[in-house]
Amino acid sequence: DAGVTQSPTHLIKTRGQHVTLRCSPISGHKSVSWYQQVLGQGPQFIFQYYEKEERGRGNFPDRFSARQFPNYSSELNVNALLLGDSALYLCASRPGLAGTTGELFFGEGSRLTVL
Amino acid sequence: DAKTTQPPSMDCAEGRAANLPCNHSTISGNEYVYWYRQIHSQGPQYIIHGLKNNETNEMASLIITEDRKSSTLILPHATLRDTAVYYCIVLLYSSASKIIFGSGTRLSIRP
């Protein structure tokens, strides 16, 4: 079975541009979360979506937005990119809000470099 | 802020048991202890979780002290592929998607 898939795997943008990152959860998983991981640090929670509704948001500016589609895939959008947005963006899925096992399944991430 | 304290780095000989400690002195009664690891350039991988009883699965064992203020992740026979950053996390079961990662422990397995 396919795991969590993310695209693109790598991308380079310049300051002020906009970026869209995509995530497909594991089949049957309805909850998707997004994390930002800056080099040398642990991942930081950005958003959680469940059944197309935002269920949680971390401490990130309004330049960051996301949405979830009827097929449970998700997009993370970042506007007006800053150098500090350079990071690995991770998507994770789980069956529901409170799954039977509690584990979160992560994708391999999209590495964004802002020049 | 993360609710856990872990040593920044550890090393272990290949084939030996790797014991990774974690302090979580402010854990509340309904918070679980989760462990994830992140191998270089990959997404984090779930290892194990527990509430108050010791847990074991095919990857590792989790030992939680009786007062639940600390725990130890045990990799029984460490291999080079276990080299990774290990994160100890405490959170409510219902909030298991909103993980607050700390800095973790960088585990190096030496041949």
Side-chain angles (χ1 to χ4, degrees):
Chain A
D1 289 342
V4 177
T5 57
Q6 294 186 241
S7 64
T9 56
H10 295 81
L11 69 166
I12 299 173
K13 295 285 188 177
T14 57
R15 282 178 295 176
Q17 286 189 312
H18 162 271
V19 68
T20 298
L21 307 176
R22 297 177 176 82
C23 171
S24 293
I26 291 172
S27 178
H29 285 194
K30 299 180 179 180
S31 175
V32 170
S33 302
W34 286 95
Y35 288 79
Q36 180 197 64
Q37 187 172 25
V38 174
L39 196 63
Q41 298 181 17
Q44 277 196 291
F45 172 74
I46 310 175
F47 286 111
Q48 182 194 12
Y49 275 78
Y50 175 71
E51 292 282 14
K52 297 179 290 179
E53 290 188 6
E54 182 182 306
R55 294 304 187 108
R57 182 185 184 116
N59 188 24
F60 280 82
D62 292 343
R63 299 185 296 107
F64 289 77
S65 64
R67 56 178 175 170
Q68 187 177 30
F69 298 99
N71 66 353
Y72 304 111
S73 68
S74 178
E75 284 183 353
L76 176 69
N77 295 283
V78 187
N79 293 323
L81 285 167
L82 304 174
L83 295 179
D85 295 331
S86 295
L88 180 68
Y89 288 85
L90 295 159
C91 175
S93 75
R94 63 184 302 194
L97 284 179
T100 55
T101 62
E103 63 186 282
L104 208 55
F105 297 84
F106 284 85
E108 296 303 306
S110 295
R111 185 164 295 282
L112 170 65
T113 301
V114 182
L115 302 177
Chain B
D1 291 338
K3 297 182 178 181
T4 62
T5 303
Q6 299 177 253
S9 63
M10 295 181 61
D11 65 50
C12 176
E14 190 176 18
R16 304 297 294 268
N19 296 279
L20 290 85
C22 179
N23 288 321
H24 31 80
S25 59
T26 61
I27 192 171
S28 62
N30 54 354
E31 286 183 316
Y32 285 70
V33 179
Y34 282 76
W35 284 83
Y36 283 79
R37 73 179 182 184
Q38 188 171 24
I39 297 170
H40 183 62
S41 297
Q42 297 182 18
Q45 177 190 25
Y46 165 84
I47 302 173
I48 199 167
H49 75 283
L51 184 62
K52 51 183 154 183
N53 297 321
N54 297 337
E55 303 287 345
T56 296
N57 63 20
E58 64 279 5
M59 291 182 66
S61 294
L62 174 60
I63 309 298
I64 303 174
T65 57
E66 192 168 343
D67 63 8
R68 302 210 323 125
K69 293 185 176 182
S70 65
S71 60
T72 301
L73 178 74
I74 301 172
L75 307 178
H77 304 287
T79 71
L80 297 178
R81 289 178 295 179
D82 292 321
T83 293
V85 178
Y86 286 78
Y87 295 100
C88 170
I89 299 145
V90 295
L91 74 166
L92 293 171
Y93 196 73
S94 60
S95 303
S97 294
K98 308 171 191 177
I99 299 173
I100 299 176
F101 288 86
S103 299
T105 295
R106 184 172 297 277
L107 177 66
S108 300
I109 306 299
R110 58 181 188 275

